[in-house]
Amino acid sequence: MGKESNKQKLPKTAVATENTLAAAARRNFLKKGVLLAAAGSSGVATAETLKVEPWSKQLGRSVVSHPYGMPSPFESNVVRRNVPWLTADTHSSISFTPLHELKGIITPNGLVFERYHAGVPDIDPTAHRLLIHGDVERELVLDMDAITAFPSVTVIRFLECPANGGMEWRGAQMEAVQFTHGMLSCCEWTGVPLKVILQEAGIRPSGKWILAEGADGAAMTRSIPLEKALDDALLVYAQNGERLRPEQGYPLRLFNPGWEGNTSVKWLRRLKIGDQPWHHREETSKYTDLMADGNARRFTWVMEANSVILSPCPEKPWTGQRRPLYEIEGIAWSGRGRIRHVDISDDGGNNWRRAQLKGLHLPKCLTRFSLLYEWDGAPKLLQSRVTDETGYVQPTLAQLRQVRGVESIYHKNSIHTWGLSADGKVRNVQIS
Ligand SMILES: Nc1nc2c(c(=O)[nH]1)N[C@H]1C(S)=C(S)[C@@H](COP(=O)(O)O)O[C@H]1N2
Ligand SMILES: [Mo]
Protein backbone atom coordinates (compact mmCIF):
# COMPACT_ATOMS: atom_id res chain seq x y z
CA MET A 1 0.00 0.00 0.00
CA GLY A 2 2.81 2.40 0.92
CA LYS A 3 4.39 1.89 -2.48
CA GLU A 4 1.05 2.49 -4.21
CA SER A 5 0.48 5.86 -2.53
CA ASN A 6 4.03 6.94 -3.32
CA LYS A 7 3.35 6.32 -7.00
CA GLN A 8 0.14 8.30 -6.87
CA LYS A 9 1.99 11.31 -5.50
CA LEU A 10 4.30 11.34 -8.50
CA PRO A 11 4.08 14.90 -9.96
CA LYS A 12 2.92 15.37 -13.57
CA THR A 13 6.19 17.08 -14.44
CA ALA A 14 7.92 13.83 -13.61
CA VAL A 15 6.98 12.58 -17.09
CA ALA A 16 9.52 14.75 -18.87
CA THR A 17 12.17 13.58 -16.48
CA GLU A 18 11.06 10.02 -17.10
CA ASN A 19 11.47 10.46 -20.85
CA THR A 20 14.98 11.67 -20.31
CA LEU A 21 15.49 8.73 -18.04
CA ALA A 22 14.15 6.40 -20.71
CA ALA A 23 16.73 7.72 -23.18
CA ALA A 24 19.41 7.24 -20.56
CA ALA A 25 18.12 3.75 -19.92
CA ARG A 26 18.39 2.92 -23.61
CA ARG A 27 22.02 4.03 -23.62
CA ASN A 28 22.48 2.04 -20.44
CA PHE A 29 21.08 -1.04 -22.10
CA LEU A 30 23.95 -1.02 -24.53
CA LYS A 31 26.42 -0.77 -21.68
CA LYS A 32 24.54 -3.50 -19.85
CA GLY A 33 24.78 -5.68 -22.93
CA VAL A 34 28.53 -5.20 -22.93
CA LEU A 35 28.64 -5.92 -19.22
CA LEU A 36 26.65 -9.10 -19.60
CA ALA A 37 28.83 -10.26 -22.41
CA ALA A 38 31.89 -9.54 -20.26
CA ALA A 39 30.33 -11.38 -17.33
CA GLY A 40 30.63 -14.43 -19.52
CA SER A 41 28.43 -17.46 -19.80
CA SER A 42 26.06 -17.12 -16.86
CA GLY A 43 23.72 -14.55 -18.44
CA VAL A 44 22.73 -13.44 -14.93
CA ALA A 45 22.70 -9.71 -14.17
CA THR A 46 24.76 -8.42 -11.27
CA ALA A 47 23.35 -5.89 -8.78
CA GLU A 48 24.99 -2.98 -10.64
CA THR A 49 23.40 -3.90 -13.94
CA LEU A 50 19.85 -3.85 -12.51
CA LYS A 51 18.73 -0.27 -13.19
CA VAL A 52 15.51 1.22 -11.86
CA GLU A 53 13.59 1.41 -15.11
CA PRO A 54 11.17 4.26 -15.95
CA TRP A 55 8.13 2.00 -15.50
CA SER A 56 9.10 1.54 -11.88
CA LYS A 57 8.81 5.27 -11.22
CA GLN A 58 5.50 6.25 -12.79
CA LEU A 59 1.85 5.35 -12.88
CA GLY A 60 0.92 2.43 -15.02
CA ARG A 61 -2.26 1.98 -17.01
CA SER A 62 -5.55 2.14 -15.12
CA VAL A 63 -8.01 -0.71 -14.67
CA VAL A 64 -10.16 -1.48 -17.73
CA SER A 65 -7.79 0.41 -20.03
CA HIS A 66 -8.26 -2.86 -21.94
CA PRO A 67 -11.71 -4.14 -20.90
CA TYR A 68 -10.74 -7.41 -22.58
CA GLY A 69 -7.09 -7.98 -21.72
CA MET A 70 -4.36 -8.24 -24.31
CA PRO A 71 -0.88 -9.81 -24.18
CA SER A 72 2.10 -7.52 -23.63
CA PRO A 73 3.02 -5.60 -26.82
CA PHE A 74 6.44 -7.24 -26.48
CA GLU A 75 4.78 -10.59 -27.26
CA SER A 76 3.47 -9.38 -30.62
CA ASN A 77 5.34 -12.13 -32.47
CA VAL A 78 3.28 -14.80 -30.68
CA VAL A 79 0.57 -15.07 -33.30
CA ARG A 80 -1.13 -17.46 -35.69
CA ARG A 81 0.45 -17.49 -39.11
CA ASN A 82 -0.61 -18.77 -42.50
CA VAL A 83 1.34 -20.03 -45.51
CA PRO A 84 0.20 -17.83 -48.42
CA TRP A 85 1.04 -20.36 -51.18
CA LEU A 86 -0.82 -23.19 -49.47
CA THR A 87 -4.35 -22.08 -50.34
CA ALA A 88 -5.75 -20.04 -53.20
CA ASP A 89 -7.42 -17.53 -50.88
CA THR A 90 -7.66 -16.76 -47.16
CA HIS A 91 -11.32 -17.73 -46.72
CA SER A 92 -11.03 -21.40 -47.51
CA SER A 93 -7.71 -21.59 -45.74
CA ILE A 94 -5.77 -22.42 -42.62
CA SER A 95 -3.64 -20.70 -40.00
CA PHE A 96 -1.20 -22.37 -37.63
CA THR A 97 -0.72 -22.32 -33.84
CA PRO A 98 2.71 -21.04 -32.63
CA LEU A 99 3.34 -24.23 -30.59
CA HIS A 100 6.95 -23.21 -29.85
CA GLU A 101 5.81 -20.14 -27.90
CA LEU A 102 3.41 -21.98 -25.59
CA LYS A 103 3.94 -23.50 -22.17
CA GLY A 104 1.90 -26.19 -20.47
CA ILE A 105 -0.79 -27.83 -22.58
CA ILE A 106 -3.54 -25.22 -23.04
CA THR A 107 -3.71 -23.27 -26.28
CA PRO A 108 -4.89 -19.72 -25.53
CA ASN A 109 -8.07 -18.97 -27.45
CA GLY A 110 -6.49 -16.28 -29.61
CA LEU A 111 -3.82 -18.74 -30.82
CA VAL A 112 -5.96 -21.76 -31.73
CA PHE A 113 -5.27 -22.65 -35.37
CA GLU A 114 -8.09 -21.78 -37.75
CA ARG A 115 -9.52 -23.91 -40.50
CA TYR A 116 -12.44 -22.68 -42.55
CA HIS A 117 -13.98 -23.67 -45.83
CA ALA A 118 -15.84 -20.37 -46.24
CA GLY A 119 -14.55 -17.92 -43.64
CA VAL A 120 -15.91 -17.09 -40.17
CA PRO A 121 -19.59 -16.23 -39.85
CA ASP A 122 -20.61 -13.73 -37.15
CA ILE A 123 -23.60 -15.55 -35.69
CA ASP A 124 -26.11 -13.85 -33.39
CA PRO A 125 -26.58 -16.48 -30.66
CA THR A 126 -30.18 -15.40 -30.03
CA ALA A 127 -30.99 -16.24 -33.65
CA HIS A 128 -29.11 -19.55 -33.65
CA ARG A 129 -31.04 -22.84 -33.63
CA LEU A 130 -30.03 -26.50 -33.61
CA LEU A 131 -32.40 -28.81 -35.49
CA ILE A 132 -32.38 -32.52 -34.65
CA HIS A 133 -34.44 -34.62 -37.06
CA GLY A 134 -34.51 -37.76 -39.20
CA ASP A 135 -34.83 -41.15 -37.51
CA VAL A 136 -35.96 -39.72 -34.16
CA GLU A 137 -39.08 -40.03 -32.03
CA ARG A 138 -39.32 -36.27 -31.44
CA GLU A 139 -37.93 -33.61 -33.77
CA LEU A 140 -36.19 -30.91 -31.71
CA VAL A 141 -35.36 -27.29 -32.41
CA LEU A 142 -33.13 -26.00 -29.61
CA ASP A 143 -31.99 -22.44 -29.02
CA MET A 144 -28.82 -21.63 -27.05
CA ASP A 145 -30.77 -21.16 -23.80
CA ALA A 146 -32.21 -24.65 -24.14
CA ILE A 147 -28.75 -26.13 -24.85
CA THR A 148 -26.96 -24.37 -22.01
CA ALA A 149 -29.76 -25.39 -19.61
CA PHE A 150 -28.64 -29.03 -19.84
CA PRO A 151 -26.13 -30.15 -17.16
CA SER A 152 -22.67 -29.53 -18.61
CA VAL A 153 -19.37 -31.39 -18.67
CA THR A 154 -15.84 -29.99 -19.04
CA VAL A 155 -12.83 -31.80 -20.53
CA ILE A 156 -9.34 -30.87 -21.76
CA ARG A 157 -8.77 -32.40 -25.20
CA PHE A 158 -6.59 -31.74 -28.24
CA LEU A 159 -7.99 -30.97 -31.69
CA GLU A 160 -5.90 -31.68 -34.77
CA CYS A 161 -6.53 -31.34 -38.48
CA PRO A 162 -5.54 -34.61 -40.19
CA ALA A 163 -3.65 -32.51 -42.75
CA ASN A 164 -1.18 -31.55 -39.99
CA GLY A 165 2.30 -32.34 -41.35
CA GLY A 166 0.78 -33.02 -44.78
CA MET A 167 3.31 -30.83 -46.58
CA GLU A 168 6.12 -33.12 -45.43
CA TRP A 169 5.27 -36.52 -46.95
CA ARG A 170 7.86 -36.21 -49.68
CA GLY A 171 10.49 -34.56 -47.50
CA ALA A 172 11.24 -31.59 -45.30
CA GLN A 173 9.61 -28.47 -46.62
CA MET A 174 8.68 -26.13 -43.77
CA GLU A 175 11.46 -24.60 -41.66
CA ALA A 176 9.24 -23.98 -38.65
CA VAL A 177 7.42 -26.19 -36.14
CA GLN A 178 4.51 -23.75 -36.41
CA PHE A 179 4.02 -25.03 -39.96
CA THR A 180 5.08 -28.69 -39.57
CA HIS A 181 2.82 -29.34 -36.55
CA GLY A 182 0.71 -26.23 -35.87
CA MET A 183 -2.68 -27.50 -37.07
CA LEU A 184 -3.02 -28.59 -33.47
CA SER A 185 -4.62 -27.07 -30.38
CA CYS A 186 -5.61 -28.20 -26.89
CA CYS A 187 -8.38 -26.49 -24.95
CA GLU A 188 -10.69 -26.97 -22.03
CA TRP A 189 -14.09 -27.53 -23.65
CA THR A 190 -17.45 -27.20 -21.93
CA GLY A 191 -20.76 -28.42 -23.29
CA VAL A 192 -23.43 -31.10 -23.24
CA PRO A 193 -22.74 -34.75 -24.07
CA LEU A 194 -24.31 -35.38 -27.47
CA LYS A 195 -25.90 -38.57 -26.14
CA VAL A 196 -27.94 -36.54 -23.63
CA ILE A 197 -29.51 -34.50 -26.42
CA LEU A 198 -30.02 -37.58 -28.58
CA GLN A 199 -31.82 -39.28 -25.70
CA GLU A 200 -34.09 -36.25 -25.53
CA ALA A 201 -34.93 -36.74 -29.22
CA GLY A 202 -35.11 -40.54 -28.97
CA ILE A 203 -33.14 -42.39 -31.68
CA ARG A 204 -35.21 -44.89 -33.69
CA PRO A 205 -33.71 -48.40 -34.12
CA SER A 206 -32.94 -47.56 -37.78
CA GLY A 207 -30.75 -44.61 -36.70
CA LYS A 208 -27.06 -45.51 -37.08
CA TRP A 209 -25.43 -42.36 -38.45
CA ILE A 210 -25.58 -38.66 -37.76
CA LEU A 211 -25.16 -35.91 -40.30
CA ALA A 212 -23.71 -32.79 -38.67
CA GLU A 213 -24.07 -29.52 -40.58
CA GLY A 214 -22.55 -26.10 -39.97
CA ALA A 215 -24.25 -22.71 -40.42
CA ASP A 216 -21.26 -21.18 -42.25
CA GLY A 217 -21.32 -20.32 -45.93
CA ALA A 218 -19.76 -23.72 -46.67
CA ALA A 219 -22.62 -25.48 -44.81
CA MET A 220 -19.98 -28.06 -44.09
CA THR A 221 -21.33 -31.53 -43.33
CA ARG A 222 -19.76 -34.67 -41.87
CA SER A 223 -21.21 -38.14 -41.18
CA ILE A 224 -20.60 -39.38 -37.65
CA PRO A 225 -21.35 -42.98 -36.59
CA LEU A 226 -23.81 -43.28 -33.71
CA GLU A 227 -21.21 -45.12 -31.57
CA LYS A 228 -19.06 -41.97 -31.37
CA ALA A 229 -22.10 -39.85 -30.58
CA LEU A 230 -23.00 -42.19 -27.70
CA ASP A 231 -19.38 -42.40 -26.55
CA ASP A 232 -17.65 -39.05 -25.92
CA ALA A 233 -18.95 -36.56 -28.53
CA LEU A 234 -19.95 -33.18 -27.10
CA LEU A 235 -21.94 -30.16 -28.15
CA VAL A 236 -19.61 -27.44 -26.89
CA TYR A 237 -20.29 -23.77 -26.34
CA ALA A 238 -17.33 -22.76 -24.14
CA GLN A 239 -13.58 -22.95 -24.60
CA ASN A 240 -10.98 -22.22 -21.90
CA GLY A 241 -13.63 -20.73 -19.66
CA GLU A 242 -15.26 -18.28 -22.06
CA ARG A 243 -17.77 -18.72 -24.87
CA LEU A 244 -16.33 -20.18 -28.08
CA ARG A 245 -14.48 -17.75 -30.29
CA PRO A 246 -16.18 -17.07 -33.64
CA GLU A 247 -13.19 -18.80 -35.26
CA GLN A 248 -13.92 -21.96 -33.27
CA GLY A 249 -17.64 -22.20 -34.02
CA TYR A 250 -19.49 -19.64 -31.90
CA PRO A 251 -22.06 -20.20 -30.55
CA LEU A 252 -22.13 -24.03 -30.88
CA ARG A 253 -19.83 -26.72 -32.16
CA LEU A 254 -19.74 -30.48 -32.33
CA PHE A 255 -16.59 -31.82 -30.71
CA ASN A 256 -15.34 -35.35 -31.31
CA PRO A 257 -12.36 -35.94 -28.98
CA GLY A 258 -9.38 -37.68 -30.58
CA TRP A 259 -10.91 -37.63 -34.05
CA GLU A 260 -9.99 -35.74 -37.22
CA GLY A 261 -10.65 -32.03 -36.69
CA ASN A 262 -12.98 -31.90 -39.69
CA THR A 263 -15.55 -34.06 -37.86
CA SER A 264 -15.86 -31.37 -35.18
CA VAL A 265 -18.33 -29.30 -37.17
CA LYS A 266 -18.35 -25.64 -36.16
CA TRP A 267 -21.33 -23.25 -36.08
CA LEU A 268 -23.46 -26.41 -35.71
CA ARG A 269 -27.07 -25.94 -36.86
CA ARG A 270 -28.36 -29.41 -37.79
CA LEU A 271 -28.07 -33.05 -36.76
CA LYS A 272 -29.89 -35.51 -38.97
CA ILE A 273 -30.16 -39.14 -37.91
CA GLY A 274 -30.13 -41.78 -40.64
CA ASP A 275 -29.28 -45.41 -41.37
CA GLN A 276 -26.09 -44.84 -43.40
CA PRO A 277 -23.36 -42.28 -43.99
CA TRP A 278 -24.13 -39.46 -46.39
CA HIS A 279 -22.23 -38.86 -49.57
CA HIS A 280 -20.24 -35.67 -48.99
CA ARG A 281 -19.06 -33.53 -51.81
CA GLU A 282 -15.62 -33.43 -50.19
CA GLU A 283 -15.37 -37.15 -49.65
CA THR A 284 -14.14 -38.08 -53.11
CA SER A 285 -11.23 -35.67 -53.04
CA LYS A 286 -10.72 -35.00 -49.34
CA TYR A 287 -10.69 -36.80 -46.02
CA THR A 288 -9.57 -40.03 -47.63
CA ASP A 289 -5.97 -41.24 -47.64
CA LEU A 290 -4.68 -42.11 -51.08
CA MET A 291 -2.35 -45.10 -50.82
CA ALA A 292 0.56 -46.23 -52.98
CA ASP A 293 -1.60 -48.86 -54.75
CA GLY A 294 -4.17 -46.25 -55.78
CA ASN A 295 -6.74 -47.35 -53.21
CA ALA A 296 -7.90 -44.85 -50.64
CA ARG A 297 -8.50 -45.29 -46.94
CA ARG A 298 -11.86 -43.89 -45.83
CA PHE A 299 -13.26 -43.15 -42.37
CA THR A 300 -9.83 -42.92 -40.80
CA TRP A 301 -11.17 -40.84 -37.96
CA VAL A 302 -8.78 -41.46 -35.10
CA MET A 303 -5.73 -39.21 -34.84
CA GLU A 304 -2.95 -41.65 -34.07
CA ALA A 305 -0.19 -40.95 -31.57
CA ASN A 306 2.23 -38.19 -32.54
CA SER A 307 4.91 -36.07 -30.87
CA VAL A 308 7.32 -33.25 -31.63
CA ILE A 309 10.20 -31.50 -29.88
CA LEU A 310 9.51 -27.78 -29.29
CA SER A 311 12.79 -26.90 -27.60
CA PRO A 312 14.96 -26.76 -29.54
CA CYS A 313 13.18 -26.24 -32.87
CA PRO A 314 13.83 -23.98 -35.86
CA GLU A 315 12.14 -21.02 -34.14
CA LYS A 316 13.72 -21.78 -30.73
CA PRO A 317 17.37 -22.61 -31.40
CA TRP A 318 19.93 -23.15 -28.64
CA THR A 319 21.98 -20.17 -29.64
CA GLY A 320 23.65 -17.77 -27.26
CA GLN A 321 22.93 -19.85 -24.17
CA ARG A 322 26.03 -21.99 -23.74
CA ARG A 323 24.68 -23.98 -20.86
CA PRO A 324 26.11 -27.33 -19.90
CA LEU A 325 22.61 -28.66 -19.26
CA TYR A 326 19.70 -28.17 -21.67
CA GLU A 327 16.08 -29.18 -21.41
CA ILE A 328 14.70 -30.98 -24.43
CA GLU A 329 10.98 -30.30 -24.27
CA GLY A 330 8.02 -31.15 -26.42
CA ILE A 331 4.46 -32.40 -26.69
CA ALA A 332 2.89 -35.79 -27.38
CA TRP A 333 -0.75 -36.68 -28.03
CA SER A 334 -2.89 -39.64 -29.05
CA GLY A 335 -6.50 -39.84 -30.21
CA ARG A 336 -6.71 -43.28 -28.62
CA GLY A 337 -6.11 -42.24 -25.04
CA ARG A 338 -3.26 -41.42 -22.67
CA ILE A 339 0.45 -41.23 -23.42
CA ARG A 340 2.34 -44.16 -21.91
CA HIS A 341 5.81 -42.76 -22.49
CA VAL A 342 8.04 -40.71 -24.79
CA ASP A 343 11.61 -41.55 -25.80
CA ILE A 344 14.22 -39.14 -27.12
CA SER A 345 17.06 -39.86 -29.52
CA ASP A 346 19.94 -37.53 -30.37
CA ASP A 347 21.46 -39.78 -33.04
CA GLY A 348 18.63 -40.14 -35.54
CA GLY A 349 16.93 -43.08 -33.84
CA ASN A 350 19.72 -45.50 -32.96
CA ASN A 351 19.67 -44.91 -29.21
CA TRP A 352 16.74 -43.81 -27.08
CA ARG A 353 16.35 -42.28 -23.63
CA ARG A 354 13.11 -42.13 -21.67
CA ALA A 355 11.73 -38.61 -21.17
CA GLN A 356 9.75 -37.41 -18.16
CA LEU A 357 6.09 -36.49 -18.53
CA LYS A 358 5.35 -33.07 -17.07
CA GLY A 359 2.12 -31.67 -15.65
CA LEU A 360 -1.30 -33.00 -16.57
CA HIS A 361 -1.45 -36.44 -18.12
CA LEU A 362 -4.94 -36.78 -19.59
CA PRO A 363 -6.43 -38.95 -22.35
CA LYS A 364 -6.73 -37.46 -25.87
CA CYS A 365 -4.86 -34.44 -24.59
CA LEU A 366 -1.50 -32.80 -25.23
CA THR A 367 1.08 -34.13 -22.78
CA ARG A 368 4.41 -32.39 -22.15
CA PHE A 369 7.64 -34.31 -22.04
CA SER A 370 11.07 -33.23 -20.92
CA LEU A 371 14.60 -34.60 -20.84
CA LEU A 372 17.57 -32.95 -19.14
CA TYR A 373 20.31 -33.17 -21.70
CA GLU A 374 24.03 -32.53 -21.53
CA TRP A 375 24.88 -31.29 -25.00
CA ASP A 376 28.49 -31.76 -26.02
CA GLY A 377 28.11 -29.07 -28.70
CA ALA A 378 28.36 -31.52 -31.62
CA PRO A 379 25.68 -31.70 -34.35
CA LYS A 380 22.74 -33.98 -33.46
CA LEU A 381 19.68 -35.51 -35.03
CA LEU A 382 16.99 -35.01 -32.38
CA GLN A 383 13.82 -37.11 -32.39
CA SER A 384 10.93 -37.91 -30.08
CA ARG A 385 8.92 -41.15 -30.22
CA VAL A 386 5.66 -41.61 -28.36
CA THR A 387 3.99 -44.82 -27.20
CA ASP A 388 0.34 -44.49 -26.18
CA GLU A 389 -1.60 -46.49 -23.62
CA THR A 390 -2.81 -48.95 -26.28
CA GLY A 391 0.84 -49.84 -27.01
CA TYR A 392 0.81 -48.04 -30.38
CA VAL A 393 4.32 -46.75 -31.17
CA GLN A 394 4.83 -43.67 -33.37
CA PRO A 395 6.23 -44.97 -36.69
CA THR A 396 9.33 -43.83 -38.51
CA LEU A 397 8.83 -42.00 -41.80
CA ALA A 398 10.04 -45.12 -43.65
CA GLN A 399 7.50 -47.34 -41.86
CA LEU A 400 4.69 -44.92 -42.59
CA ARG A 401 5.64 -44.53 -46.26
CA GLN A 402 5.82 -48.29 -46.62
CA VAL A 403 2.15 -48.55 -45.69
CA ARG A 404 0.82 -45.31 -47.14
CA GLY A 405 3.17 -44.25 -49.92
CA VAL A 406 3.62 -40.48 -50.38
CA GLU A 407 0.42 -39.53 -52.25
CA SER A 408 -1.61 -38.88 -49.14
CA ILE A 409 -2.00 -35.53 -47.44
CA TYR A 410 -3.52 -36.84 -44.24
CA HIS A 411 -2.39 -38.60 -41.08
CA LYS A 412 1.33 -38.04 -41.28
CA ASN A 413 2.25 -38.81 -37.68
CA SER A 414 5.76 -40.16 -38.21
CA ILE A 415 8.76 -39.46 -35.96
CA HIS A 416 10.03 -35.97 -36.72
CA THR A 417 13.73 -35.12 -36.96
CA TRP A 418 15.36 -31.81 -36.10
CA GLY A 419 18.97 -31.33 -37.21
CA LEU A 420 20.80 -29.47 -34.41
CA SER A 421 24.03 -27.94 -35.65
CA ALA A 422 27.09 -26.96 -33.62
CA ASP A 423 25.98 -23.30 -33.58
CA GLY A 424 22.71 -24.34 -31.91
CA LYS A 425 20.55 -23.63 -34.95
CA VAL A 426 17.89 -26.18 -35.90
CA ARG A 427 16.87 -27.33 -39.35
CA ASN A 428 13.96 -29.50 -40.41
CA VAL A 429 15.50 -32.70 -41.76
CA GLN A 430 13.27 -35.61 -42.65
CA ILE A 431 15.23 -38.79 -42.28
CA SER A 432 13.50 -42.11 -42.71
N1 LIG B 1 -18.82 -25.59 -40.24
C1 LIG B 1 -17.51 -25.89 -40.39
N2 LIG B 1 -16.93 -26.69 -39.47
C2 LIG B 1 -15.61 -27.01 -39.57
C3 LIG B 1 -14.84 -26.54 -40.66
C4 LIG B 1 -15.47 -25.67 -41.60
O1 LIG B 1 -14.86 -25.17 -42.57
N3 LIG B 1 -16.80 -25.38 -41.43
N4 LIG B 1 -13.52 -26.94 -40.76
C5 LIG B 1 -13.20 -28.22 -40.12
C6 LIG B 1 -11.80 -28.57 -40.14
S1 LIG B 1 -11.19 -29.18 -41.61
C7 LIG B 1 -11.03 -28.54 -39.00
S2 LIG B 1 -9.44 -29.16 -38.98
C8 LIG B 1 -11.54 -27.98 -37.73
C9 LIG B 1 -10.65 -26.84 -37.28
O2 LIG B 1 -11.09 -26.32 -36.06
P1 LIG B 1 -10.55 -24.93 -35.55
O3 LIG B 1 -10.70 -23.91 -36.64
O4 LIG B 1 -11.37 -24.63 -34.32
O5 LIG B 1 -9.10 -25.10 -35.20
O6 LIG B 1 -12.88 -27.48 -37.87
C10 LIG B 1 -13.71 -28.27 -38.69
N5 LIG B 1 -15.08 -27.81 -38.62
MO1 LIG C 1 -9.08 -30.07 -41.19
Side-chain angles (χ1 to χ4, degrees):
M1 191 61 220
K3 234 181 175 180
E4 277 305 307
S5 44
N6 270 346
K7 277 185 187 170
Q8 279 169 20
K9 277 186 210 126
L10 204 76
K12 286 260 157 60
T13 49
V15 173
T17 327
E18 297 303 330
N19 287 340
T20 328
L21 255 172
R26 275 194 296 275
R27 284 194 298 276
N28 250 321
F29 176 76
L30 291 176
K31 269 195 226 149
K32 184 163 108 185
V34 173
L35 238 170
L36 285 178
S41 60
S42 73
V44 178
T46 60
E48 305 86 77
T49 64
L50 273 182
K51 291 280 178 290
V52 180
E53 300 289 358
W55 49 80
S56 304
K57 302 186 202 173
Q58 64 193 25
L59 281 172
R61 275 190 279 105
S62 65
V63 294
V64 295
S65 55
H66 294 318
Y68 193 102
M70 298 288 286
S72 160
F74 296 98
E75 298 297 315
S76 61
N77 62 325
V78 183
V79 289
R80 299 188 278 228
R81 291 185 174 85
N82 66 332
V83 177
W85 55 258
L86 202 59
T87 52
D89 68 76
T90 48
H91 286 89
S92 182
S93 190
I94 184 131
S95 72
F96 298 77
T97 295
L99 297 171
H100 57 286
E101 299 284 6
L102 303 182
K103 294 293 167 195
I105 56 169
I106 299 290
T107 313
N109 288 339
L111 297 176
V112 172
F113 81 94
E114 312 155 273
R115 176 74 180 104
Y116 323 126
H117 290 81
V120 188
D122 279 315
I123 296 178
D124 173 355
T126 62
H128 192 72
R129 300 288 182 274
L130 174 66
L131 166 66
I132 300 163
H133 67 147
D135 292 356
V136 292
E137 302 298 342
R138 289 167 294 280
E139 217 172 87
L140 298 178
V141 180
L142 302 174
D143 62 14
M144 287 308 295
D145 280 347
I147 291 167
T148 54
F150 283 95
S152 67
V153 296
T154 296
V155 293
I156 305 178
R157 298 289 182 265
F158 78 82
L159 192 149
E160 185 183 20
C161 175
N164 205 14
M167 294 96 92
E168 305 260 307
W169 275 100
R170 288 164 190 276
Q173 176 162 223
M174 312 306 295
E175 281 302 331
V177 75
Q178 183 159 10
F179 300 131
T180 60
H181 291 80
M183 295 185 197
L184 173 69
S185 63
C186 186
C187 294
E188 187 193 68
W189 301 96
T190 297
V192 190
L194 178 52
K195 67 171 171 235
V196 169
I197 301 226
L198 293 180
Q199 269 154 16
E200 197 80 2
I203 305 282
R204 294 214 178 113
S206 54
K208 298 282 176 247
W209 287 82
I210 300 177
L211 177 84
E213 181 185 73
D216 52 332
M220 175 156 158
T221 55
R222 308 303 301 143
S223 296
I224 316 293
L226 191 63
E227 301 88 78
K228 183 66 174 176
L230 299 180
D231 179 13
D232 61 353
L234 299 173
L235 297 182
V236 296
Y237 46 81
Q239 176 192 2
N240 294 334
E242 60 183 1
R243 289 302 173 112
L244 295 177
R245 290 289 172 91
E247 297 95 313
Q248 269 61 61
Y250 183 87
L252 186 68
R253 145 178 239 175
L254 175 63
F255 183 61
N256 289 308
W259 278 26
E260 295 183 337
N262 60 71
T263 66
S264 289
V265 174
K266 301 189 276 191
W267 313 294
L268 185 71
R269 73 167 172 206
R270 192 161 70 97
L271 295 171
K272 185 177 184 183
I273 322 302
D275 61 353
Q276 54 193 352
W278 282 260
H279 181 77
H280 301 289
R281 193 161 36 90
E282 310 100 321
E283 205 105 273
T284 45
S285 58
K286 293 196 235 166
Y287 306 127
T288 55
D289 301 342
L290 191 57
M291 316 259 278
D293 63 4
N295 284 322
R297 303 195 314 160
R298 195 178 172 215
F299 299 147
T300 48
W301 292 298
V302 175
M303 297 307 298
E304 279 166 339
N306 201 348
S307 71
V308 69
I309 293 171
L310 301 176
S311 177
C313 71
E315 300 102 308
K316 292 282 173 194
W318 280 346
T319 49
Q321 298 182 35
R322 292 281 142 242
R323 299 172 68 89
L325 203 58
Y326 286 83
E327 185 179 19
I328 296 177
E329 233 198 304
I331 45 172
W333 62 100
S334 167
R336 294 191 196 279
R338 283 193 172 76
I339 299 310
R340 186 180 287 169
H341 53 245
V342 178
D343 296 304
I344 307 284
S345 172
D346 72 352
D347 58 5
N350 293 318
N351 294 287
W352 295 93
R353 261 179 274 178
R354 186 70 29 103
Q356 260 192 307
L357 302 183
K358 282 216 256 196
L360 290 177
H361 185 201
L362 302 171
K364 305 181 186 180
C365 185
L366 292 195
T367 302
R368 275 219 168 231
F369 61 82
S370 153
L371 179 77
L372 294 183
Y373 178 70
E374 243 176 285
W375 181 33
D376 59 13
K380 303 288 175 193
L381 292 172
L382 297 178
Q383 301 181 327
S384 62
R385 182 184 66 191
V386 57
T387 304
D388 74 14
E389 66 177 342
T390 69
Y392 175 95
V393 182
Q394 186 180 0
T396 64
L397 183 56
Q399 287 166 339
L400 197 64
R401 279 180 178 158
Q402 214 166 18
V403 186
R404 306 255 188 86
V406 292
E407 301 301 328
S408 179
I409 301 167
Y410 298 110
H411 293 279
K412 184 183 174 294
N413 66 322
S414 55
I415 292 170
H416 196 77
T417 311
W418 294 134
L420 173 69
S421 54
D423 60 5
K425 294 206 177 106
V426 174
R427 277 178 320 111
N428 180 12
V429 292
Q430 289 267 31
I431 63 163
S432 41

